[in-house]
Amino acid sequence: MEQLRRWEIVSSGISLLGALLFGIQVWLHEVLTGLAVLGLGGFFAGSLLAVVKVRCPFCNHFLGLFGPVGKFCPYCGDQIKK
């Protein structure tokens, strides 16, 4: 369960930093710069990481981009968070 929480934090952080880098670069320069493309890549990498790693440890279903909403898996009903 601890590992699931760690992957939630890592994937959310990467997505957030990528989105911020992209947004700031486009806002400041009003064109697509190299750092903006890097930020966009970071956002998609964090989202892909969430799709691959944030899964129910019991039934292996995807739990959402930013992790499970509750304490139980919506698919199998097992307790995810204590």
Side-chain angles (χ1 to χ4, degrees):
M1 303 317 150
E2 187 65 33
Q3 190 174 19
L4 177 65
R5 181 72 180 139
R6 188 175 322 130
W7 283 117
E8 283 180 69
I9 292 170
V10 168
S11 64
S12 298
I14 291 172
S15 293
L16 181 63
L17 287 175
L20 283 173
L21 183 61
F22 174 77
I24 289 171
Q25 288 298 311
V26 170
W27 180 62
L28 288 177
H29 301 289
E30 297 180 359
V31 293
L32 201 59
T33 63
L35 281 176
V37 172
L38 185 66
L40 196 59
F43 173 75
F44 286 122
S47 299
L48 181 65
L49 185 65
V51 169
V52 172
K53 291 291 188 177
V54 181
R55 296 187 168 271
C56 174
F58 304 105
C59 68
N60 205 30
H61 269 92
F62 173 59
L63 294 173
L65 278 180
F66 299 110
V69 175
K71 293 182 179 185
F72 297 93
C73 175
Y75 300 101
C76 66
D78 281 334
Q79 185 177 5
I80 296 173
K81 296 181 180 178
K82 293 183 179 182

